[in-house]
Each structure stands twice: as C-alpha cells, then as structure tokens.
Amino acid sequence: MSLPYLADNKTVRFLFLPHEHDPDSFVREEGKEAFEKRLGDSRPLSEFLLKELKSRTDLGTAEGRSRLAHEAKPLLQKSPLRRSDCSC
C-alpha cells in the first residue's frame, strides 16, 4: 500500500475506470476531456479508506465503531503524516 510513501508534498487519489479500460485505452476511446473529468472526480486516499472501512462495519453499534477504529489504527500508523500526531 502507498501509505508509507506519503509526504506533505504528495497526494494519493483513487480513480476508477470501467473494468475493460486502463488509462491509455480509456483516453483513446473516450477522449482526453472525459479522462480529465474522471481525474477531477477521483477520491482522496482518506475518503477511499474511510468509505471502505465503513462498508465493513455497522456504525450504528458500539461494536461496529470499535471495529472501525481497530481496523483504521494500523493504517494511520503507517502514514508518515500521522505518526507524530497519532497517540495510537
């Protein structure tokens, strides 16, 4: 995972293309503007991780919230941006 490589001057975002495409084939078929629009709609790493973790738990229960915190903790600890801030 890219977490250990994060730094203040780097941004990690997730761009999801149709299953049959890679970036090159998408641009060839849909065009540069369509690809740039998708880039603009890409999700930051933090949003992607939180959505993924939330989908695995029931946040309506204390157990679900505890599981979310438990699963997020090692990910946060791998991020160099959070190591000095995290009391995990």
Side-chain angles (χ1 to χ4, degrees):
M1 185 175 269
S2 55
L3 289 175
Y5 303 104
L6 289 178
D8 288 336
N9 63 343
K10 296 179 184 176
T11 302
V12 176
R13 299 182 67 84
F14 285 82
L15 170 64
F16 296 95
L17 297 174
H19 199 61
E20 66 275 9
H21 285 295
D22 61 35
D24 184 56
S25 67
F26 185 87
V27 170
R28 280 188 276 119
E29 189 171 308
E30 302 292 330
K32 177 184 171 185
E33 293 78 19
F35 185 74
E36 288 175 344
K37 176 166 181 357
R38 292 237 182 183
L39 282 176
D41 295 339
S42 63
R43 292 190 286 170
L45 175 65
S46 57
E47 182 182 314
F48 174 79
L49 285 177
L50 187 56
K51 183 177 180 183
E52 186 65 28
L53 292 174
K54 285 168 62 176
S55 73
R56 301 177 192 180
T57 62
D58 178 5
L59 295 179
T61 67
E63 292 84 1
R65 292 187 298 274
S66 176
R67 180 176 178 191
L68 176 69
H70 176 76
E71 290 186 10
K73 183 177 176 179
L75 299 174
L76 293 172
Q77 288 174 329
K78 288 181 183 177
S79 169
L81 300 177
R82 300 288 180 234
R83 283 189 189 137
S84 61
D85 302 333
C86 185
S87 61
C88 306

